[in-house]
Amino acid sequence: ATIIVSILVDRTGKVVSASVQDYTGGTEGRAKLEELALKAARSARFSANPAGPINQKGTITINFKLKYSQDYSDSKYRASD
């Protein structure tokens, strides 16, 4: 699955807003993958620029590869980033 996350970054380089812009992939596990993508985007840090705009917009593309699990007692699929 590929998820594009829209972000807003402040002058300190901190992501202050994140939302899913686009999702490409299967429907199984979509909500969990979107949750993981947003968590990753919110934890991203960028270079500070005190003289820059108050906020800057951008996107982060996150690709997930699903691996088949041989352990049926767990889930059928596991997400790895």
Side-chain angles (χ1 to χ4, degrees), residues 14-68:
K14 179 181 177 186
V15 175
V16 294
S17 174
S19 61
V20 174
Q21 177 179 320
D22 192 26
Y23 175 93
T24 306
T27 57
E28 186 174 337
R30 178 178 179 163
K32 184 63 176 177
L33 293 178
E34 286 184 353
E35 177 187 326
L36 292 169
L38 288 171
K39 183 177 178 179
R42 289 182 184 119
S43 68
R45 295 292 179 259
F46 297 88
S47 298
N49 183 356
I54 293 172
N55 291 308
Q56 296 186 53
K57 295 180 182 179
T59 60
I60 298 175
T61 302
I62 300 175
N63 296 298
F64 290 94
K65 294 181 184 179
L66 298 179
K67 294 182 180 180
Y68 183 73

